[in-house]
Amino acid sequence: MQFALLGDIHSSKEDLQAVLAQIAKEAPEATLIGIGDLYECTVSKKDLHGQTYPTVEEVIKHPDGIDELFTFPSIYGNQEQRVLLLTKQTEPIRDFLNDLPETLKIDEAIIIHGHQWPHNEAAEWLAEHLLESRVVFHGHTHRSGFTSDGKHVAINWNEEMSLRGSRTVVNVGAVVGSREWVLYDSEEQTVRFMKVSQR
């Protein structure tokens, strides 16, 4: 089965539309799954002082029509986590974000955003918390990457890379700015790093 994995959208409607169009063209049968950070929280981490806001609209970048594009299941990222910390009331967007899980499992693979571990300590954190997961997909850093048994492997864009026979960690990159996503074939055990060309 094919899965189109995309994340770190950060409320960028134009970039999301471009990626969704490419997915529809390249992998129309693929199941879409979000890797978190769907919306951009406008209050930075360093500005968290226990304050709350009366509405979600006050703390997110929210372009018209973007909600209708979020038709796929997703996990939550640090942006969603921050929005929930800053608001308390019940409203549709907040309820949607509050219901997002921390992880999703697809066949042998686990999907997690990546803000859970300290910078540059993914291998150690994953070994402690997700040791049983042979394939891990994440985002958060906005940098596509492929690690096989702890060793970084150069990415070949739009070419199949095998996941067989190793513990693999895949960073799917970012939709915002980079327009990157990953096509995962769970039966063939391959991934393809995809990127929408920007003119």
Side-chain angles (χ1 to χ4, degrees):
M1 188 170 180
Q2 288 189 328
F3 298 90
L5 308 177
L6 66 160
D8 291 295
I9 298 161
H10 291 269
S11 297
S12 181
K13 182 181 174 183
E14 185 178 342
D15 289 331
L16 177 57
Q17 287 173 320
V19 167
L20 292 175
Q22 187 180 54
I23 292 171
K25 179 181 177 183
E26 298 285 339
E29 302 301 317
T31 298
L32 276 67
I33 297 182
I35 310 291
D37 282 3
L38 305 178
Y39 293 97
E40 172 76 15
C41 182
T42 57
V43 180
S44 70
K45 186 177 180 180
K46 64 179 174 54
D47 291 329
L48 294 177
H49 305 294
Q51 75 273 30
T52 59
Y53 294 80
T55 68
V56 169
E57 291 294 338
E58 294 188 50
V59 299
I60 65 167
K61 185 178 174 185
H62 195 205
D64 287 342
I66 196 167
D67 301 339
E68 289 75 19
L69 299 176
F70 294 134
T71 59
F72 45 89
S74 180
I75 57 172
Y76 68 77
N78 52 295
Q79 298 292 308
E80 287 80 21
Q81 201 171 49
R82 198 177 310 147
V83 170
L84 294 174
L85 278 173
L86 290 164
T87 57
K88 301 298 178 192
Q89 70 293 336
T90 296
E91 57 181 293
I93 293 179
R94 190 183 192 281
D95 294 345
F96 165 67
L97 299 180
N98 192 49
D99 289 341
L100 297 177
E102 181 178 20
T103 62
L104 284 173
K105 189 165 175 55
I106 48 175
D107 296 338
E108 294 182 29
I110 193 96
I111 299 170
I112 186 168
H113 183 63
H115 65 285
Q116 290 84 351
W117 51 80
H119 183 61
N120 288 332
E121 294 183 25
E124 296 85 350
W125 191 94
L126 292 169
E128 181 179 349
H129 295 90
L130 294 174
L131 183 60
E132 76 288 352
S133 300
R134 195 181 63 76
V135 180
V136 177
F137 291 98
H138 73 92
H140 185 53
T141 66
H142 296 208
R143 293 190 304 273
S144 295
F146 187 96
T147 305
S148 177
D149 288 335
K151 296 179 181 177
H152 293 286
V153 178
I155 294 170
N156 299 310
W157 292 95
N158 202 19
E159 293 183 15
E160 289 186 350
M161 300 178 71
S162 177
L163 303 174
R164 294 186 186 278
S166 66
R167 177 170 166 79
T168 309
V169 180
V170 177
N171 188 330
V172 305
V175 168
V176 64
S178 303
R179 299 186 175 183
E180 299 167 349
W181 59 284
V182 165
L183 182 62
Y184 167 49
D185 191 315
S186 62
E187 293 178 10
E188 297 297 325
Q189 283 295 290
T190 60
V191 295
R192 276 199 293 153
F193 286 88
M194 307 294 289
K195 185 180 180 81
V196 179
S197 61
Q198 299 182 53
R199 298 183 179 121

